């Protein structure tokens, strides 16, 4: 999870695969604004999978081995 919707932005948290997060804003086609562990930040849409609810909940679906993979 990053501070702003950019790969050069600071990392706020590493969110484990399978974690359920709330998407509070679809900022563009590449980034969503999410809430995790009482923090608000941004995650690329490639790393999220809709949980099937209408409440904007998504699962983290990609496990990155290092920061260079977390684009």
């Amino acid at each position: 999870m990053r501070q702003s919707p950019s790969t050069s932005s600071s990392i706020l948290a590493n969110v484990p695969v399978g974690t359920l997060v709330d998407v509070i804003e679809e900022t563009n086609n590449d980034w969503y604004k999410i809430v995790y562990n009482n923090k608000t930040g941004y995650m690329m849409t490639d790393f999220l999978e809709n949980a099937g609810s209408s409440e904007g909940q998504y699962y983290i679906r990609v496990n990155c081995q290092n920061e260079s993979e977390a684009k």
Side-chain angles (χ1 to χ4, degrees):
M1 182 170 74
R2 295 190 180 266
Q3 185 173 5
S4 64
S6 168
T7 57
S8 62
S9 178
S10 300
I11 295 173
L12 295 176
N14 292 312
V15 185
V17 172
T19 301
L20 190 63
V21 296
D22 290 316
V23 172
I24 57 174
E25 182 181 340
E26 296 179 14
T27 56
N28 60 41
N29 289 337
D30 295 324
W31 293 90
Y32 285 168
K33 189 173 190 178
I34 69 168
V35 175
Y36 167 70
N37 220 13
N38 294 321
K39 293 181 183 177
T40 302
Y42 296 85
M43 184 166 287
M44 290 189 80
T45 58
D46 291 348
F47 301 129
L48 298 164
E49 179 178 333
N50 191 306
S53 71
S54 61
E55 297 179 21
Q57 293 185 320
Y58 286 70
Y59 288 107
I60 305 301
R61 67 177 177 98
V62 177
N63 187 13
C64 298
Q65 299 302 315
N66 58 55
E67 187 175 331
S68 66
E69 292 179 19
K71 299 175 183 173

